[in-house]
Structure formats: structure tokens, C-alpha cells
Amino acid sequence: MSSLKDKTVKGVIWSAVDRFSAQGVKFVFSILVARLLVPEDYGVIAMLGIFMAVSQTFIDSGFGTALIRKIDRTETDFSTVFYFNIAVASVLYIILFFSAPAIANFYETPLLESVTKVVALNLIINSLSGIHNAKLSIAIDFKSRAKISIITTLLTGAVGLWMAYAGYGVWALVVQNLFSSVLRTVMLWIIVKWRPRLVFSWKSFKELFSFGSKLLTSALLDTLYNNIYTLIIGKIFSPSTLGVYSKASTLAQFPSSNITSVLQGVTFPVLSTIQNEEDRLADAYKRFLKLSAFVIFPLMVGLSAVADPFIRLALTDKWEGAIYLLQIMCFWMMWYPIHAINLNLLQVKGRSDYFLKLEVIKKIQGVLVLCITVPMGIIAMCYGSLISSIICLVWNTHYTKKLIDYGFFAQMKDLLPIIAHALVMGLIVALVVYFMPTLWLKLVVGVLAGMVYYIAGAYIMKFPEMDELLAILKLKRK
């Protein structure tokens, strides 16, 4: 059996291939489609975000995480969760189907009724492959996941692009999303040979739910909070404004959430295997945290610096309203991996009670900030989210200190050199963007200047995270 380190690195590599080959292709297609559609089309889809996200959270109910963490999982456990997922998905689809007219009336957008009825089918389709996804995570088999993602993204991206070019408007996004769910589910069933047994155990259900229920409550709070912005913007402002906000949010999340998903998806099953080895766990956790920041901080700061030429060149001037929002969101999303990895530790240690307490505190704080900023407009709402995110970091690191003695100040001390290095890089890129005469030069020269400074500076100043990245790349070439 390969060592834990080799298994982790290979998992990171294939998970990165999964996220960035598939998501990279998806990103390119999304740019091409956005050039053909208008912000209003994206606004209509974003209006459904909170309903779909909450429904999907109920379907999972924390069972996926509970299965990955459980050491002595059985076939009965898997089959029980499989049937539960399908049952909940079916009930939620029926609810959304008959609620579609009310949703359309709430947003005063008649088209939303038919869109809701079709988009909600994704819930049932995705519920059929939840266990298969968990199986891949348990096996740390990100190679198979990468293959599925790449093929799915290529085919569905082509469908969406063709429909957008043919003038189908918002339906291009609807069909693309639905086709993606169907194709991904079919491929998971082909690659993962697991099939459900005709068994449902209440004992298994209660055991898994005792852990998953706290995560479910936490996930619901998180999902409601993360989507309340689109709910309020969609209700108070125009679909076009919501579309611009949604696109800026998607662009800001792309580097941060994808890299974090790579590391979190691999680290959770890996760290779970050493959850009772305190010193080893603490050391691995610190290294994951600093490596995440070393990669993500410069990407987010750099994206903020080149936001203007990037938006105008990639999406055209009709999306210029997203520029300033994207710049703010980049500094907001910069801290996302630090939040996620702190919370990941609580799940590894099985402290879903801590996880729930944190979510309650943070969401109360977030709602208060939202109530204060809504009357000031959408820009103030984005600044409020940034401030709230930084305050939440103090909350998230509270239990990390209790579990492995690595709290807020210790983490900031370790991250400070990386933050300073990324900010200096951002200043250099901003100066290049300011002085370059054309949009293409602003973007290309700005990106190159940022890369050269950050990589060369990290090498000269001997950042240990640079050595770790080089070690991963060397292992990949072997």
C-alpha cells in the first residue's frame, strides 16, 4: 500500500486535474456563452439558486460526509443512504413543481414558472449518483472523477454554446445544466460498479444521521445564508443586476473554491485516517493551510487587479457592471480556503456540535451585516460580506485552537508573509494595468508581471510552500 503522503499527493494531483481541466473547460464555455447571452438570462437562473441549494442540502443530509468518515461502513449503510436520497429528492421535486407559480410571482418573472419545473429535475437525477460520488471519495479515486468531469464538461458545454448561438436564451443554460446531471450520473454508474441492495436499515440510518444531522443543520444555515443575497437582490433589484452579481460571484469563486475543493476533498479522507494521531494531524493541517494560502492569495489579489481588462475582453462591455463587484469579491473569497480548512478539521475530529455552534453564530452576524448594508445598495452589500468574512475567521479558528492549539493569531503569524507577498504582487499588477495603453496589454503584461514577481520572489525568499509545490510537481513527473 502506498504511503499516506504519496496517496495524498496523488489525490491532490488528480483532484486538481478534475477541477481545473473540467472547470477550465467549463470556464471557457461559460465565457463564450456569456458573450452570446445577456445578464437577465443569468439572473433568471440565479433566482432559483436558493431553492435548489436548500433542496440539495436536504437530500445529502450530511450522510455523504458521515459515510466517508465512518471506518466500519457496510453495504447496508450505502443502500440505506441511497434510498433515502431518492425519496427526499422526489418529495422535494414535487414541492418545487407545485410551488413554481408562487416562485414566479414572488420574483414577478413569469418565465420562472416553467424554468423551475425543468431545473428541479436535477434533484432526482443527482440523487441517483450520491453514493457513487462518495465511493470515489472514500477510495481517493480522483482519477476516475477527473475523467467523468472532463467528458461531461466538454459535451454539455458544446450543447449550451450551440443553444445560446441559436437564440434559445435562458433555456440554453437550463438544458446545459440538466444534460450535465444526466451524463454525469450515467458515467458514474458505468465507472463505479456499486449497485444498491434491496435493504433499508433504520439502525444504520439513525447511526449516520446522529452525525449527519448536525452537519445538515449547519449546511442549511450556510446554504440559506450564501443564497440569501441572490434572493434579496432578485427581489429588490432587476434580473440584470442579479445576473451581473451572479457572474461576478462565479468569477471570484472559480480560483478560490476550486483549489479549496481540491485540497479539502483530498484532505478530509486523508486526515480522517490519522484523526487520532494528534501531533501528526496538527502538522499536516498546518501545512495544508499554508499551502492553500500560498496558491490562492496571489490568484485572488491578481484577479482583482486585472478585473477591468479581463471583464471587458472576455465578456464585452455589457458586463462592465460586474467589474467593481468582482474586485471586492476577490478579497472576500481570498479567505475562503482558510475558513474551509478550519471547518474541515472539526469534521475530521467528529465535532459536528462545534461545527453547528459556529454556523449559528456566524449566520446571525451575517444577517445583521446584511440588514445594515441592503439599504445602501449592492456595492455596500459586497463590502459587508468582506468585513463579515474576516470577522468569521476569528470564530472559525476558536475551536481549532482548542483541538490542535493553532488559533487565530498563530495562523495569521504563519500567513502574514504570504499575505504581504501577494499584496505587493497585486500592487505591481495594478500599476502595470494603469500604465498599459490597450486592454490586451493590460491583461497579458499584468498577468505575466504578477507571475514573474510572485514565483521569483517566493523562490528568492525561500518560502517553504514553494518547495512543497515543486515536490508535488516532481512526484507527478515520476
Side-chain angles (χ1 to χ4, degrees):
M1 182 179 291
S2 61
S3 69
L4 182 63
K5 180 178 179 180
D6 287 349
K7 199 171 186 181
T8 302
V9 171
K10 289 177 182 178
V12 169
I13 290 171
W14 277 110
S15 186
V17 171
D18 174 19
R19 298 296 298 190
F20 286 98
S21 56
Q23 292 296 324
V25 172
K26 184 177 180 180
F27 179 76
V28 172
F29 274 117
S30 71
I31 293 294
L32 295 174
V33 171
R35 292 175 67 91
L36 297 170
L37 302 181
V38 294
E40 287 87 346
D41 295 327
Y42 286 86
V44 170
I45 296 297
M47 289 173 178
L48 287 176
I50 189 168
F51 302 104
M52 294 298 293
V54 169
S55 297
Q56 191 60 55
T57 301
F58 269 113
I59 292 169
D60 181 65
S61 299
F63 282 130
T65 303
L67 281 172
I68 293 172
R69 185 182 179 277
K70 188 178 180 183
I71 303 295
D72 57 343
R73 62 187 80 87
T74 66
E75 284 299 311
T76 299
D77 293 330
F78 288 119
S79 295
T80 297
V81 174
F82 177 80
Y83 293 120
F84 172 82
N85 287 348
I86 294 175
V88 174
S90 300
V91 170
L92 289 170
Y93 175 76
I94 293 171
I95 292 173
L96 284 176
F97 184 91
F98 288 105
S99 300
I103 294 173
N105 289 334
F106 175 78
Y107 286 114
E108 299 178 358
T109 306
L111 175 62
L112 205 54
E113 179 177 349
S114 53
V115 169
T116 301
K117 293 177 180 179
V118 177
V119 170
L121 287 170
N122 284 293
L123 298 175
I124 296 177
I125 298 168
N126 289 332
S127 71
L128 296 171
S129 59
I131 296 300
H132 300 76
N133 262 319
K135 282 277 188 178
L136 291 180
S137 294
I138 291 168
I140 317 182
D141 183 6
F142 293 94
K143 183 176 181 178
S144 296
R145 182 171 290 173
K147 293 176 181 177
I148 294 170
S149 296
I150 293 169
I151 294 172
T152 301
T153 303
L154 282 170
L155 294 178
T156 58
V159 169
L161 182 59
W162 175 80
M163 292 189 68
Y165 182 78
Y168 284 94
V170 68
W171 289 104
L173 301 174
V174 173
V175 173
Q176 180 183 17
N177 189 262
L178 191 64
F179 182 43
S180 177
S181 296
V182 172
L183 188 57
R184 183 179 297 276
T185 297
V186 170
M187 292 188 68
L188 278 167
W189 275 70
I190 292 173
I191 291 177
V192 182
K193 301 304 180 183
W194 180 84
R195 298 295 180 265
R197 296 180 179 178
L198 292 175
V199 59
F200 184 94
S201 168
W202 283 108
K203 179 182 178 181
S204 174
F205 176 85
K206 292 175 181 177
E207 182 181 356
L208 292 169
F209 192 67
S210 65
F211 176 81
S213 60
K214 298 182 183 68
L215 292 181
L216 169 62
T217 306
S218 301
L220 281 174
L221 288 170
D222 192 52
T223 300
L224 286 168
Y225 176 75
N226 288 338
N227 288 273
I228 197 171
Y229 278 74
T230 58
L231 179 71
I232 292 175
I233 294 170
K235 178 62 178 176
I236 297 178
F237 302 98
S238 66
S240 178
T241 300
L242 177 56
V244 165
Y245 174 88
S246 177
K247 179 57 66 178
S249 178
T250 300
L251 292 173
Q253 289 179 35
F254 179 76
S256 183
S257 64
N258 278 299
I259 293 176
T260 302
S261 294
V262 169
L263 292 170
Q264 195 173 22
V266 175
T267 58
F268 179 64
V270 169
L271 292 179
S272 292
T273 64
I274 57 173
Q275 58 186 279
N276 296 320
E277 302 175 50
E278 299 297 332
D279 292 339
R280 196 178 175 196
L281 177 64
D283 180 65
Y285 171 81
K286 293 175 184 180
R287 291 172 62 189
F288 283 137
L289 189 76
K290 290 189 285 185
L291 184 61
S292 300
F294 183 76
V295 174
I296 294 175
F297 282 9
L299 288 176
M300 302 313 298
V301 173
L303 178 57
S304 179
V306 300
D308 189 288
F310 173 71
I311 292 287
R312 294 185 188 279
L313 287 171
L315 301 178
T316 72
D317 287 342
K318 67 185 176 183
W319 289 94
E320 66 178 339
I323 294 172
Y324 193 50
L325 300 183
L326 174 59
Q327 291 175 324
I328 302 169
M329 289 180 183
C330 283
F331 287 94
W332 166 15
M333 290 302 297
M334 186 174 85
W335 296 103
Y336 177 75
I338 311 303
H339 290 296
I341 296 176
N342 273 281
L343 294 175
N344 211 12
L345 179 69
L346 301 185
Q347 297 184 50
V348 167
K349 297 294 289 183
R351 297 310 304 257
S352 54
D353 54 335
Y354 287 170
F355 198 105
L356 177 57
K357 289 177 183 178
L358 282 175
E359 290 305 303
V360 171
I361 293 171
K362 291 185 298 182
K363 275 28 179 186
I364 291 174
Q365 169 195 297
V367 170
L368 290 174
V369 171
L370 180 61
C371 291
I372 294 170
T373 56
V374 165
M376 303 178 193
I378 192 169
I379 292 176
M381 292 169 67
C382 291
Y383 274 118
S385 295
L386 170 59
I387 295 170
S388 182
S389 177
I390 295 172
I391 297 173
C392 284
L393 193 58
V394 178
W395 297 116
N396 283 339
T397 53
H398 172 71
Y399 287 117
T400 309
K401 180 171 178 59
K402 289 187 66 173
L403 293 172
I404 60 172
D405 193 27
Y406 193 49
F408 176 80
F409 293 105
Q411 291 186 30
M412 291 304 102
K413 180 181 177 181
D414 283 347
L415 296 179
L416 187 59
I418 299 173
I419 296 170
H421 191 43
L423 290 177
V424 173
M425 182 214 71
L427 179 60
I428 293 171
V429 175
L431 289 172
V432 170
V433 169
Y434 180 79
F435 285 108
M436 286 294 108
T438 66
L439 289 175
W440 277 109
L441 285 175
K442 289 176 186 290
L443 182 60
V444 175
V445 179
V447 170
L448 289 176
M451 289 176 61
V452 170
Y453 168 79
Y454 193 80
I455 295 173
Y459 184 79
I460 293 170
M461 290 183 279
K462 302 185 184 301
F463 276 78
E465 294 76 25
M466 190 72 185
D467 293 333
E468 289 208 34
L469 279 179
L470 291 174
I472 290 174
L473 293 174
K474 288 178 182 177
L475 182 61
K476 183 179 180 181
R477 287 198 296 267
K478 289 181 181 180

